[in-house]
Amino acid sequence: MEQSQSTPRSPLVVPDMYVDLSGVSSSSTENPYDALLKVCNNDPVQIQLRYKTHRQNRNVQQKVKLLAADFTGLTIDPILYQTIHPDRYPGFTDPRHNLTFWARPPKPLRQLIMKIQENLVEKAPNLWLMPLDCLHMTVLEMTHSGTESEIEELVNVLRPKVQDIVDYTFDHHARLVKPIVGYDAAALALTFLPAAGDGRPNPNDSYTYHHLRRDLYDLCKATGVKIASRYTIPSAHVTLARFVDPKDFSHNDRAEDVADPEKMREWVEHLEGINGWLQETYWPNDEGVIAEGGEWIVGQEKGLDFRKGICWYGGGETVSLGKGF
């Protein structure tokens, strides 16, 4: 990419990553996570199906967009771009402060993610990869894009109860299974489904990941803090990578905005190949066995990580960390 003080241009789009494609509306309940649980009658099989529906519909939607004749190009995050180019943007600091509860993936899952990231950069060497020690899944976002002082006020309100909240996964075990890569024009993530008897003899999956999200919402709301999450969609995902340079998919490898349709087709085929490998290797096999890395019980190794500050790309600082099992 040429040395320049301007970031690569990106198409202006409404973020559809926040659109629920499961067929459930969360606007009818005080706790937005209750709506899906009520529709599913708290049945883990039905809950998994709603997450699966959302995941499948979204990947189909994004595949159509990436391969469309009028696809205008990748969506480059201008703040991340400036953050990783301090030579071009000296003194730049992300102004957005967040407050969030993260789940940290355990070692076997981090090792799987490292394999996936290595596979991704074989095809797209200019991807920005989420550092392994920054990997996280947002279980509940309290607020985003605030000022440092605004976030600190919320932390002070939550502080008396926060250790109980981050320790909640110690005895409330929610299991996630069946990882595949989700993608769009901006980023890639490893996505999971709440378990529903998958791969274990006599499993107790009645308490699902969606129940955990509901409970955290109630626990935090009980402190008096207003929760301002961007989304409550049925998704369990860990960001793997983001696009910061369009030239991997442009004509003649130039840093231009218009994507080469043939390169986009090869990219989608590459992602589908990764997902086929994940399904064959890390989903429950015919004997019900799940390979190490293909299952995640939230709270393994570490409890929830209550995080404040500039958290958008895995940064920020830990206010309180829960105990793991």
Side-chain angles (χ1 to χ4, degrees), residues 33 48 101 106 144 208 211 226 271 277:
Y33 298 101
Q48 183 184 97
F101 289 90
H144 62 92
T208 71
H211 288 95
K226 181 180 179 181
L271 297 178
W277 167 71

Side-chain angles (χ1 to χ4, degrees), residues 48-305:
Q48 183 184 97
L49 180 60
R50 292 289 181 170
Y51 272 69
K52 178 182 177 181
T53 298
H54 172 81
R55 182 168 78 171
Q56 285 184 335
N57 286 345
R58 190 170 192 282
N59 266 9
V60 168
Q61 176 196 73
Q62 296 305 313
K63 178 179 179 178
V64 170
K65 289 185 177 183
L66 293 179
L67 299 182
D70 60 351
F71 178 62
T72 53
L74 299 173
T75 304
I76 307 300
D77 182 333
I79 292 180
L80 177 58
Y81 183 86
Q82 292 174 78
T83 299
I84 65 175
H85 290 101
D87 55 327
R88 304 178 194 183
Y89 303 93
F92 176 78
T93 302
D94 188 344
R96 304 165 299 176
H97 286 254
N98 300 50
L99 192 61
T100 184
F101 289 90
W102 286 352
R104 295 288 201 171
K107 184 177 180 180
L109 184 51
R110 294 196 303 273
Q111 291 174 331
L112 170 59
I113 287 173
M114 181 173 65
K115 291 180 183 178
I116 296 171
Q117 289 180 327
E118 290 172 349
N119 196 316
L120 291 171
V121 294
E122 288 179 7
K123 199 70 175 175
N126 289 290
L127 274 175
W128 176 84
L129 300 179
M130 180 73 74
L132 293 179
D133 60 350
C134 295
L135 292 168
H136 63 277
M137 176 172 65
T138 299
V139 184
L140 180 67
E141 181 182 64
M142 297 297 298
T143 192
H144 62 92
S145 302
T147 65
E148 186 174 4
S149 60
E150 289 169 343
I151 297 301
E152 204 58 43
E153 288 179 11
L154 298 175
V155 170
N156 290 333
V157 174
L158 281 160
R159 199 180 296 277
K161 296 293 184 180
V162 74
Q163 196 60 46
D164 291 338
I165 297 172
V166 295
D167 285 342
Y168 197 72
T169 52
F170 186 77
D171 52 13
H172 293 80
H173 294 176
R175 194 164 64 101
L176 296 169
V177 294
K178 298 181 176 179
I180 66 167
V181 174
Y183 56 89
D184 58 23
L188 302 106
L190 191 63
T191 69
F192 303 84
L193 302 181
D198 310 88
R200 286 194 174 195
N202 304 314
N204 182 9
D205 288 325
S206 59
Y207 187 82
T208 71
Y209 178 66
H210 206 77
H211 288 95
L212 175 62
R213 297 170 77 190
R214 176 204 62 187
D215 289 354
L216 257 62
Y217 187 97
D218 282 341
L219 288 168
C220 291
K221 188 174 180 181
T223 68
V225 168
K226 181 180 179 181
I227 301 170
S229 302
R230 285 170 294 164
Y231 59 89
T232 58
I233 58 175
S235 177
H237 62 272
V238 176
T239 298
L240 300 172
R242 295 180 184 274
F243 296 110
V244 290
D245 193 326
K247 69 181 178 183
D248 287 334
F249 302 99
S250 62
H251 293 275
N252 302 316
D253 300 320
R254 294 195 302 269
E256 59 186 32
D257 296 327
V258 179
D260 183 329
E262 179 61 21
K263 289 182 178 180
M264 294 310 304
R265 184 188 63 77
E266 292 175 355
W267 175 241
V268 170
E269 287 181 356
H270 188 73
L271 297 178
E272 291 181 341
I274 293 173
N275 284 341
W277 167 71
L278 286 170
Q279 186 167 346
E280 182 177 347
T281 309
Y282 290 95
W283 287 29
N285 64 20
D286 292 340
E287 288 75 43
V289 177
I290 300 177
E292 192 174 43
E295 174 185 72
W296 180 8
I297 303 175
V298 179
Q300 281 176 270
E301 297 183 358
K302 296 178 180 180
L304 297 176
D305 189 347

